[in-house]
Amino acid sequence: MEQSPINWGRPRDDVYGHYSEAISQAPNTHSLPKKHTQQPTVTGSSVIGIKFDKGVIVAADTLASYGSLARFDNIDRLTQVGDSTIVGIGGDISDMQYVQRLLEELEIEENYDNSGDQSLHSENIFNYLSKVYYNRRSKMDPLWNAVLVGGVDSKDEPFLSHVDLLGVTFSSPALATGFGAYLALPLLRQLVPYPDSYKNVTEADARAMVEKCMKVLFYRDARSIDKYDVATITKGNVKIEKDIKCKDQNWRFAEDIRGYGRTTS
Amino acid sequence: MFRNSYDNDSVTYSPTGRLFQVEYALEAIKQGSAVVGLVSKTHAVVVALKRNAEELGSYQKKIIKVDNHLGVALAGLAPDARVLSNFLRQQAMSSQMVYKRPLAVSRAVYAIADKAQGNTQQYGRRPYGVGLLIIGHDEAGPHLYEFLPSGSALEYRGAAIGARSQAARTYLEKKFEEFPELSLEELVVEGLNALRDTLAQDKELTLKNTSIAYVGKDTPFTLLDDDKVVDWLAKLDGVSRKSNPRPTGGEEAAEGTTTEGEPAADAPETDAPADADTMDTTE
């Protein structure tokens, strides 16, 4: 290496021959930094969840959009993990499938050497997921999702928590991601305005409100569809209902609306 | 010439299918002073006999806390026990960090059992020279496991390892059917009774040489030493000698209540190393 200040960093001419200026002009094939996920491609929309006195209901529609194209209309976004937890995922579908694989591995690993002294409760699965999401965003390579974890915790209490691509976590008796946060959450909060309100909510009431929310989302969210899955988790029981249609839609008023203001006739 | 050409490393089988290095490691446990463990439906207890290398020296710790719900008692090479208990601490913290739950006792035990097994299968390594009694409480209740350097990890209702531990096992085998229903206090006293059977002729359990640890559902892992074991040793004196006379001193036990009534705290420190070998590092 040439140590003379004017030639710092260059091979010595007497050893390697005359320095070719072309070397420093050579096109840099690594001119751009490594690219990570910078935007989602195929996406799922809202996930909504609400606690009731004995458990939790989580719901998500079955659409996976490719931009504004309703590309796949039969994608399950609710995943059961263990025997008392449902993970509902919105956002990038390929990242969702990766997370679903992680959760499957987690469950296999749990059962591998487990003599039954321990089981995966909702808070364990949620805590694991929150570490995964925060770890990935800290590597500047986020998993582009918003996630609801619903179920029954180790004290047999209803559990509902949220984690997203930033690793942000929070908990509430009613939660919703995406458009649901704007459209469904105000409705859900009519049932559970305060942290303890869910103790006075029956499964039937919560279920009826979830159906109403999914209908409102179908009315007003352009990336939604009128077909959805609902999971109801109570102590020792997970019930998943698939392909529910939005019922009792009201479009009758439409025929009375004409034009965009006073008409000439 | 070698006396035995099949004991140079831990990965060579003898013609009879034995791993001598592993068996030698098991011998190291027998050099260590005794530890006794036992479980009820609600609690797990270990009691241990501590040794000092010489009169002026301190007594080597025998019980190590791992987490609020988990701890180990050792017999054998103390440094190896430190390595294993530090590893368990990391496992316990990892479980709390990633899953927000205490490490299950069975998982903890199998984790170190797998490490020990690996050392018997890879050239250039040696087996751990320590046996552990692991107590803990998890979702499934209280547990007691015995860990051996061979990689064996078995759950017990009562167990004892270390020097003269056979005497303690004999005691436990006689009484283990009562253990499930015992209170914590009764369980500790039974542990001390069993531990006392491992003592040499002229020895006594004293506040200096006795360690007690217990754990249960709403009882975090608690380690008692020195002044804190005095009350327990007092209970021992009141209950035990009558119901459990020392096998060697039939006459002595009948009339020997005067010496036994002596408060443990005032008992003269007669404890000396079990053998004169000052290089012995087993505890």
Side-chain angles (χ1 to χ4, degrees):
Chain A
M1 195 71 79
E2 178 59 73
Q3 298 302 319
S4 164
I6 47 167
N7 287 319
W8 272 355
R10 287 186 180 167
R12 287 172 56 170
D13 288 358
D14 55 338
V15 177
Y16 297 99
H18 182 67
Y19 177 74
S20 165
E21 297 294 332
I23 292 174
S24 64
Q25 305 298 323
N28 185 356
T29 52
H30 311 289
S31 60
L32 292 174
K34 184 182 169 189
K35 280 191 177 176
H36 294 136
T37 306
Q38 294 187 348
Q39 72 266 79
T41 46
V42 179
T43 57
S45 191
S46 319
V47 184
I48 66 172
I50 183 171
K51 288 185 190 176
F52 58 93
D53 55 356
K54 294 189 179 66
V56 172
I57 298 179
V58 183
D61 70 28
T62 61
L63 181 66
S65 307
Y66 181 66
S68 58
L69 175 66
R71 180 66 182 81
F72 306 102
D73 69 353
N74 201 19
I75 300 293
D76 290 340
R77 299 195 285 127
L78 302 183
T79 317
Q80 181 173 350
V81 188
D83 45 3
S84 61
T85 306
I86 287 287
V87 178
I89 306 182
D92 190 272
I93 293 297
S94 59
D95 285 349
M96 176 191 86
Q97 289 170 337
Y98 169 73
V99 170
Q100 285 172 338
R101 199 158 72 234
L102 287 183
L103 292 169
E104 196 175 329
E105 277 172 21
L106 174 68
E107 203 176 340
I108 291 168
E109 202 57 34
E110 174 80 5
N111 291 324
Y112 174 65
D113 60 356
N114 187 7
S115 51
D117 290 353
Q118 213 173 31
S119 52
L120 278 174
H121 301 289
S122 297
E123 73 263 39
N124 308 129
I125 291 157
F126 175 72
N127 199 257
Y128 168 76
L129 276 182
S130 72
K131 303 296 168 190
V132 169
Y133 277 94
Y134 183 65
N135 178 248
R136 286 296 295 266
R137 89 103 215 201
S138 298
K139 290 198 280 193
M140 300 298 283
D141 187 13
L143 295 165
W144 216 283
N145 299 120
V147 181
L148 294 191
V149 177
V152 178
D153 68 13
S154 53
K155 298 186 183 79
D156 292 333
E157 290 287 316
F159 178 93
L160 183 61
S161 277
H162 165 283
V163 60
D164 63 18
L165 74 168
L166 301 174
V168 173
T169 64
F170 48 87
S171 192
S172 168
L175 287 173
T177 72
F179 255 84
Y182 303 99
L183 297 172
L185 208 46
L187 296 169
L188 294 170
R189 282 183 182 165
Q190 290 175 359
L191 276 187
V192 285
Y194 306 108
D196 283 342
S197 303
Y198 73 90
K199 289 173 179 166
N200 305 318
V201 177
T202 63
E203 180 180 339
D205 288 347
R207 177 54 191 272
M209 187 55 88
V210 164
E211 289 191 4
K212 184 176 179 183
C213 289
M214 294 311 287
K215 185 172 70 176
V216 169
L217 283 168
F218 176 62
Y219 279 149
R220 317 210 92 111
D221 177 1
R223 303 285 171 270
S224 72
I225 197 174
D226 58 348
K227 195 173 73 168
Y228 57 96
D229 297 341
V230 176
T232 308
I233 311 102
T234 50
K235 183 187 169 187
N237 188 32
V238 175
K239 182 176 70 182
I240 302 177
E241 298 159 87
K242 291 196 167 161
D243 297 346
I244 299 172
K245 292 292 257 185
C246 291
K247 292 191 296 279
D248 304 325
Q249 291 179 39
N250 183 2
W251 297 101
R252 299 286 317 167
F253 65 93
E255 62 197 36
D256 301 328
I257 301 172
R258 282 167 199 277
Y260 294 94
R262 282 169 63 109
T263 50
T264 48
S265 59
Chain B
M1 264 320 266
F2 290 117
R3 184 177 54 84
N4 179 348
S5 49
Y6 298 104
D7 68 351
N8 290 308
D9 55 68
S10 64
V11 298
T12 303
Y13 277 109
S14 80
T16 49
R18 296 162 59 181
L19 293 172
F20 282 110
Q21 281 295 332
V22 172
E23 294 185 18
Y24 296 160
L26 295 170
E27 291 301 316
I29 299 168
K30 296 182 190 160
Q31 306 281 331
S33 62
V35 292
V36 173
L38 58 174
V39 274
S40 70
K41 277 182 181 166
T42 54
H43 293 85
V45 169
V46 278
V47 293
L49 183 65
K50 289 184 287 188
R51 275 205 302 230
N52 56 349
E54 49 171 307
E55 193 64 24
L56 293 169
S58 63
Y59 287 76
Q60 174 69 39
K61 278 181 65 174
K62 295 280 285 181
I63 304 179
I64 303 170
K65 177 179 169 179
V66 172
D67 200 349
N68 277 329
H69 70 295
L70 192 67
V72 303
L74 66 108
L77 298 179
D80 284 8
R82 268 163 46 79
V83 168
L84 290 169
S85 59
N86 285 340
F87 171 75
L88 281 184
R89 285 205 184 104
Q90 290 182 340
Q91 295 286 300
M93 287 171 69
S94 165
S95 175
Q96 204 61 247
M97 174 75 188
V98 178
Y99 301 109
K100 213 176 187 177
R101 66 178 179 187
L103 184 65
V105 183
S106 60
R107 266 178 216 279
V109 175
Y110 292 144
I112 54 172
D114 288 351
K115 279 169 75 74
Q117 196 278 337
N119 287 354
T120 70
Q121 211 177 11
Q122 217 187 330
Y123 188 79
R125 305 193 70 84
R126 67 163 175 85
Y128 292 106
V130 68
L132 302 176
L133 292 185
I134 295 139
I135 58 166
H137 187 280
D138 60 26
E139 266 185 39
H143 297 282
L144 164 69
Y145 279 88
E146 178 201 61
F147 160 87
L148 294 177
S150 53
S152 118
L154 293 170
E155 182 157 21
Y156 282 89
R157 298 161 77 174
I161 54 174
R164 288 184 288 276
S165 58
Q166 182 54 50
R169 269 197 300 282
T170 306
Y171 180 86
L172 294 174
E173 280 164 16
K174 197 167 70 188
K175 304 196 74 172
F176 78 95
E177 277 165 305
E178 302 168 14
F179 293 167
E181 305 299 333
L182 293 187
S183 68
L184 172 60
E185 181 177 327
E186 292 166 320
L187 205 61
V188 172
V189 169
E190 288 292 24
L192 290 171
N193 266 326
L195 186 66
R196 187 165 56 181
D197 286 357
T198 71
L199 291 170
Q201 270 303 308
D202 53 343
K203 301 284 178 52
E204 268 295 342
L205 290 180
T206 68
L207 82 167
K208 289 236 177 77
N209 71 8
T210 309
S211 270
I212 301 171
Y214 49 81
V215 64
K217 183 170 193 305
D218 296 314
T219 313
F221 185 87
T222 309
L223 174 56
L224 303 178
D225 271 321
D226 300 326
D227 293 343
K228 290 176 185 158
V229 302
V230 173
D231 292 343
W232 290 101
L233 292 174
K235 282 171 193 159
L236 182 66
D237 285 334
V239 186
S240 57
R241 283 288 163 95
K242 273 173 280 172
S243 61
N244 181 42
R246 298 284 288 280
T248 48
E251 307 93 345
E252 187 196 320
E255 59 186 14
T257 43
T258 48
T259 54
E260 286 143 19
E262 219 175 304
D266 297 333
E269 228 0 275
T270 56
D271 213 28
D275 49 28
D277 183 7
T278 51
M279 289 301 287
D280 187 4
T281 57
T282 52
E283 297 296 342

